[in-house]
Structures are given as C-alpha cells and as structure tokens.
Amino acid sequence: MTKVANSGLLCCFFAGLMWSKLASFILRYRFLVLVALGGATVFIGTYIPELRLIYSFDGLLPKTDSTYLDHQRFLKHFGAEGNLLVVGVEDSSLFKSEGLQNWFELSEDIRDIRVDIEGVQTVIIDSVFTVFNAFSVQKDTSDATFKVIPLASNLTRGGPAISQDSVDLFYSQLRNLPFFEDVLYAENTGAILMMVFIDPHLFNSKDRGTVVEDITTLVDNWRIKTGTRTYISGLPFVRIQMTNKVKGEIGLLIGAALFVTFLLLLLFFRNFVTAVVCLSVVAIGVVWSVGSIAFFDYPLTLLMSLIPPLIIVIGVPNCIYLVNKYHAEFKKHGNKAMALQRMITKVGNATLLTNITTALGFATFMFTQSEILKNFGTIAALNILGVFVISISVIPTLLSLLPPPAPRQTSHLDRKWVYKVVQVFIHFVQNKRRTVYLVSLLLLAFSIAGMVQVQTTGNMVDDLPENDRVLIDLAWLEDNFNGVMPFEMLIDCGVEGDALSLPNLKKIERMQRLLAEYPEFSRSMSAVDATKFAMQGLNNGEKSGYRLPISNHEKMKLRSYTRRTEKKAKGSVDAVSVTRNFLDSSKTITRISAQIADIGTIEMDELMDDLRPRIDSIFTPSKYNITLTGTSIVFLEGTHYLVRNLSISISLAILLIALVMALLFKSVRMVFIALIPNIMPLLFTAGIMGWTGIAIKPSTILVFSIAFGISIDDTIHFLAKYRQELRRLNWNIKQAVILAVEETGVSMMYTSVVLFSGFMMFTLSDFDGTRSLGLLVSVTLLVAMFANLLLLPTLLLSFEQFVTTKAFQEPLMHIIDEEEDIELEKLRIDYGITPGKGNEKHEDIVKRRVKSDNLES
C-alpha cells in the first residue's frame, strides 16, 4: 500500500513538473507562441475558400450496405435518377394562345442555360419536356414503321402566338394520349408540369455553377411577367435550397454564439479587454474548425455546419476556468507572473482532461460506418482538442502583455448571490436527501413514460420551416401529382431477353395498377406504357387502343413495326426509344419508375411492409428478383442506420469515458455512481422528446452524445475536488462532500449558464432539427448541473462506506491538486516502509500536503 501511495506522489510530482515546464515555456517564449499560433491559423485559414458543399444525400449508408449496393446497381444499369427538376403551374392562361406561347418561351430560356467550364460555355440541361413537346405515334403502312407526329410543331421562339383554334385542337389531341396523363398534366386539376433534366455528371461536380438558381430566377421572372403562380421542386431544387440554407446559417449561428458569449464574458469579468482576449480564443477556434473541414476535403453538411458554433460554446468554459484561476491567484498574493504560471499548472491539466472527455463523446461517431457521422466525429473531436491548445496558448500570453487585473476585475470572485445559491444545494444534500431521491425517481418515471413514445422518423425536408418555399411548392406538387421523390423498382426476370415477354408485361401492368392504389405514388412509368403507346399507334390512334397486345398476331405485328422503326431512326425520342430507357442491355432487367411523396420514415416503413407481400403475390420470389430502390429508399434506410448507430455511439461514449474515470479514480464503484447523474439527464431528454413529439432523426441524433460528453466534465471536476478534500480532512466524507459542492458549484453554474445560452442560440436556426438540438442539449446540460450538485453528492453521502474506498485515494492518473504544490526536496519515496509502529502509515503519506511558492522557478 505504501508503494502505491509513493507511486501516486511520484506521478503527481512528474505531472506538476511537466505542467510547470510548459508554463515556463509559454510565458518565456510568448511572442514565439503567438507567432506559431498565428501561422497555424493563417495556414488552416487558406483552406476555407476550398470548402465544398454537398448536393446529394450520399454518405448516410456505408458502401457495404445492401441498400447502397442496390442503388449503385440501379445507377449502373439505368443512370442517374435524381436529376429531374419540375416546374408546375395551375392557371387557365396556359389554355389560351398567349399563355401557351409564354410557357414555350420559358422552356426555351431554360434549355439555353449554360455553365462556364474553363472558359467554355457548356450545356448543362439535358432536355426540357412539357405539354407542347408531346407527340403522337402513327403507323406508316408504306414501310411498316412508326412515325412521330409532334402535337405543337407550329410553336416558334419569338414568333407570333398560334391561334386559339390550334390551341384547342392541341389540348384535344393531348387528352387523347393516355401516355402523358398525370405525367405532363393532371386531368382532374388542370395542372401542367415542365420537366427539366439536368446533366447528372455536371450537377454532381464542382462545375455545376448556379444552374438551379438560374432556373429559379427565370421561373420567378416569368411569374412576375405573366402573373402566373409557379411551383418548383425535384431533388436538384431541394438539394440546392437546403445546401444554400446550411451555408447561410453558418454565419448566423457563429455570429449569434459569439455575441451571446461575449455578453456573458463581459457580465462575468466586467472588463472589455478580458472579454476580447477570451473571444479571440473561440474566434481562432472557428477558423480552425472551418479550415479543417476543407483541409480534410469533407463536404459541408447540416451536421458539419454545427461544428463552428459548437467550438465557440465548448471553448468559452476553458476561458472562464483559466481567467478565474488567474484572478483568484492574483487576488491571493498580487504576483502577476506567479498567478499566470499557477493558472497554467493548476487548471491546464484539468481543462485538458475535460476537453478529452468531451472530444471522446464526439469521437465515438468515428467508429460508425456512416461517412457523414465519421466525418463529423473526426472534425469535432480534433477541434475540441484544438481549442484547448488555443486557449492554453492565447490566454496566458495575452494576459501577460496586459496590466495586472484591477480590483474591479476580480470582484466577480465575491458574488455573494452565487454562494447563497450553492448553500441551497448544500442544504438539500445535508437535510433533504429523501426529497432529492423522490424528485429523481419522479423524473425517472416521467422520462421512461416519455421514452416509450419517442418515434424515429425523418424525411428529406422535414427540418424546414412550414412557410418555406420548398415545402409550399412540394405540397402543391404532391397534391396534383402525388410526389417528386424518386422511387424505382427493378425486376430481374432471370432469363436474358425475357423482360419484354407478354406474360412479364402483364405482370408489370398489374404491378403498376397496384402502385396506383397508393396515394403516395405518382403515375408510374415502365416499358408497358411505351408498349401501350405503340399499340395505340398501331390501332390508328384510338384511345381504346392504348393497351397491351391481346393476341400473338398483335404481338408479332407490333414487334415487326418496332424493329423496322429502330433501324430506320436510331436515337429518336419516341415511344419506341423510350422502351430502351426501361431495359438493361441484356433485356433481363426492367424497371418501374415512379415518384413518391416525401413521407416520414414511419409512414414509409408501413407502406413498404404493406407493399412487399403484394409484390411477391405478383412476382414469385423464386423466379423474380425484385429490388426497391431510389433516393427515397436510400434516405429511409440511411435514417434507420443513423438511429441504429446512435445506440452504438452512446454506448461507446459511456464506455470510453468510464475508462477515463477509472484511470482517474481507480474505483469501479465510484465510476458506477458517477455515471448515474449523467445518464439520468439523457433519459430525461429522451422523455421530453417523447412527450413533446420531437422525433429521433438525423438532425437530432447528436443530442445525447454531445450532452453526455460535456456534462461528464462537471462530474470529473466534482470528484477530483472531493478526493482532494478527503485527503485534507483525514477521510471526513461528509465534510469533503460539502466542501466539494461549495468549491465546484460556482464554476458549474458559470459554465452551465454559458453552455445553456450558447446552445440556445441554435434555436435561431431555420432548420427544425437544429432548433430542437439546441433546445434539448440546453435542457440536458441544465438538468445535468442539478444532478451533479444534488444527486451525486447525495449518493456519495448515502453510500459513503460502499463507494469511497481506499482505492479511490490512489488514482492511476493524477489531477494536480489546486490546493497543493509539490517541491522536489520534500517529495519522499521510500519503498521499504511498512505500516506499523515507528513508520509512516499509508494514510499519513497520502494526506501529506507539501507547500511551495517556487514552482515557477
């Protein structure tokens, strides 16, 4: 036991010596430190202009996931499916001559959009398709081929509007073509769509330019010119709008966090210059965080945009701890140099430890297989450690260049109201332990009752405010056309060339009728529709002829016309060529394409559960391989994957932080007790989410890891102080607990106010998920403060003999005692001592307090 005690003192000495040397280096070479820090900041800042935005929903799933692989398989066979932007109108003017001409002019303007690639104007719009691009298919008996007849061939750009009779004839012919119904127009509402296909390779590259913004501007100008209300949607529009909002919100959240923390620093320290010194720390931290995202070439996502304001909120408590210690030391002895050195040696390692535990809470995301979460965890963890380096470098060096603090600057140490509040906590710990337990049990019951109501959901746009244009326009399109989010069904027939056999076409037709029963799906399209369109042409354009072949004679005749047409006009856009868009090269795999409404994951799960057995009833699983894919399915599975990883990341965070605490306190019992007041706030937050209807989704999934990583810091500070007081008070547990509450209560309250106010700034966001995240983390940290100042000391007093064992006294890692300095010549290590008469007992060695005011030498 004596050897362990002496080992603990030896570790304490070397830790103190290391921090003493670090303090001497920082203060002696302060200008060099500032220059090095400035150089590093300039270097990382040069990467900020290279920050890239992400315009897709990639990264939610690992690349080994079956859903991801299915989607990649679809893209390999049929190309991109998320490059469709739609513009909708519902106005009688489009049934007039001038209105149709104006609609035509808009489509031509959109078609002419170019992007600049290395000085070359390049086409980025693949095609524009709307009602006047509709065509009919007629048979040419002279050579047994089909020919395409445009319905509105007399529309010309800049030319005179066609007559109203021509317009009426055009719409009459259009209504006779079921192929375009509920695709280009909605018969029941009169709504009309313009479908804009954007080059997927250019759109997903840095050369995309501002194509979506340009289309939006053209449409808005057209609306102003004609007075016709327009609606825009589709994945390109949704992606760009959300990404631009993320980009715009970074500045808002950073500015709000800087402003509120600066006000709090002024309130705490009552000195403008001191507040500016602290603000410079988090300002540098913001530059490092944004620059590091670009340095690692990670894209800017909604999650990644939260890191800069997080660094501000997490970095300010570092500043408060350091400046508080500096002021307290200076007030004690009036020696500025000594105060600065003790600030570094006594607070530095404790601050490093709390930053490490906070970083661990974020670093657990690195162990998931989700690219988005891994990127977020890496950047967050590195920058939390980085902000410690910044604070331990900037604050001592700048304060050393400033005059000593005036009495008014240190008056914040004597705020009597803060200590009165702390005395209330002590009163409850001493005299109202039953009340503390009763309230805790009631909160636990409230939390569990709420937890069972928590739902896991999310859709692509559910974080946007209700009045946002994306939601308004999307709602109109879902009302008129049911949805715009891609949904694909791959049908692998298993036999080469069998995809277009008549029995399979009939099965596909049944499947499309089945999809039509669900209001969530838009009108689906497949090779069946193209076949029916060709059959209508074969039947002299009669609407009743829009059907599949009935007899082998019709089938053979259709095949003959189709083959002759393909040979005569390769590359033409008609019903025959459209068929090729629904087949792979071997004609083994075909597809059914539809759009689906942006419903939540709960509704989507229910829909898929209901749909799959009905699919199997049409396509026998033993003969057909059916794959459901598309961006909507990928997002659904990605959301489920993130939630599954939530439990993994929280479990890892608890395990890693428990290991750190075990190294600090070397007591499994103490670690177990310490985790209780930190897990309870997480349960309370989950309960709040259940009672208020806040769902677990990608944007709120970080609440628990963030809150746990930060709240555990208060527990470590409290237990470290508790152990120090135990040693000083000769194992008087009750008095040690009370003094620990007194000593740490003030700093806990200060940092909790900063963290609460900082995270509340997230409620200024336009994104519902970000607002919920800020509110929930703020509430969690507030509850954690009360748990650490009420429940934790109550548990220590109630189970004092069970928890506070001798092992708790001798940690494997030592936090420098803020009441204790170590002097080399007074450090006594004697491995030959054995407990007994005439020798120092183990307790005497541990309680020895070695005083020195010469550490700085």
Side-chain angles (χ1 to χ4, degrees), residues 539-722:
N539 288 294
N540 301 315
E542 295 293 333
K543 192 171 184 178
S544 59
Y546 186 80
R547 56 175 174 76
L548 289 175
I550 298 175
S551 62
N552 284 332
H553 173 70
E554 280 190 339
K555 177 183 175 183
M556 297 305 295
K557 187 175 180 181
L558 177 63
R559 181 178 297 178
S560 175
Y561 268 78
T562 301
R563 287 177 176 175
R564 289 175 181 270
T565 303
E566 288 178 338
K567 291 179 180 179
K568 182 177 178 180
K570 292 185 178 180
S572 63
V573 180
D574 53 32
V576 175
S577 64
V578 166
T579 305
R580 294 196 296 269
N581 295 330
F582 295 96
L583 292 170
D584 71 333
S585 58
S586 66
K587 296 184 180 180
T588 305
I589 302 173
T590 186
R591 65 192 273 210
I592 298 176
S593 293
Q595 280 76 44
I596 191 171
D598 188 30
I599 56 179
T601 53
I602 295 177
E603 295 85 351
M604 191 72 162
D605 283 332
E606 293 174 352
L607 177 61
M608 292 299 105
D609 289 342
D610 185 68
L611 189 59
R612 289 183 190 278
R614 302 184 71 183
I615 294 174
D616 293 341
S617 68
I618 298 174
F619 296 101
T620 308
S622 61
K623 184 177 179 182
Y624 299 92
N625 182 20
I626 306 299
T627 302
L628 303 182
T629 187
T631 305
S632 54
I633 299 295
V634 172
F635 186 84
L636 166 70
E637 292 302 321
T639 300
H640 287 319
Y641 183 82
L642 291 181
V643 173
R644 288 196 297 269
N645 276 266
L646 168 65
S647 58
I648 296 174
S649 63
I650 292 178
S651 301
L652 281 174
I654 293 174
L655 176 62
L656 290 175
I657 292 174
L659 289 175
V660 171
M661 294 180 69
L663 290 173
L664 289 172
F665 304 121
K666 211 177 72 171
S667 171
V668 175
R669 297 176 184 179
M670 187 62 73
V671 171
F672 177 76
I673 290 294
L675 289 177
I676 293 176
N678 289 283
I679 291 176
M680 277 202 64
L682 303 185
L683 299 178
F684 179 78
T685 299
I688 289 290
M689 294 177 72
W691 287 112
T692 58
I694 299 176
I696 293 179
K697 51 187 176 181
S699 53
T700 58
I701 204 170
L702 302 176
V703 170
F704 303 100
S705 294
I706 291 175
F708 183 78
I710 296 175
S711 65
I712 201 72
D713 296 346
D714 286 341
T715 304
I716 292 175
H717 276 294
F718 181 90
L719 291 180
K721 190 63 184 177
Y722 170 56

Side-chain angles (χ1 to χ4, degrees), residues 84-94 103 106 110 129-131 183-186 189-196 215 219-220 222-223 226-234 237 469 472-478 480-481 484:
L84 172 62
L85 182 147
V86 295
V87 182
V89 291
E90 185 182 353
D91 196 285
S92 59
S93 65
L94 265 69
W103 189 240
L106 175 61
I110 292 175
F129 199 67
T130 187
V131 288
V183 176
L184 297 181
Y185 70 96
T189 64
I192 293 176
L193 276 190
M194 180 185 296
M195 306 168 73
V196 182
I215 294 173
V219 172
D220 289 344
W222 186 86
R223 174 182 57 82
T226 63
T228 304
R229 179 72 170 91
T230 56
Y231 303 88
I232 308 178
S233 194
F237 180 75
R469 178 178 185 175
I472 294 173
D473 289 9
L474 181 60
W476 180 88
L477 284 156
E478 289 179 350
N480 287 273
F481 296 94
V484 293

Side-chain angles (χ1 to χ4, degrees), residues 509-526:
E509 183 181 37
R510 285 177 57 196
M511 187 68 243
Q512 289 185 260
R513 288 174 180 170
L514 175 61
L515 292 178
E517 296 178 13
Y518 295 89
E520 294 85 0
F521 289 106
S522 69
R523 154 84 185 276
S524 62
M525 296 290 286
S526 72

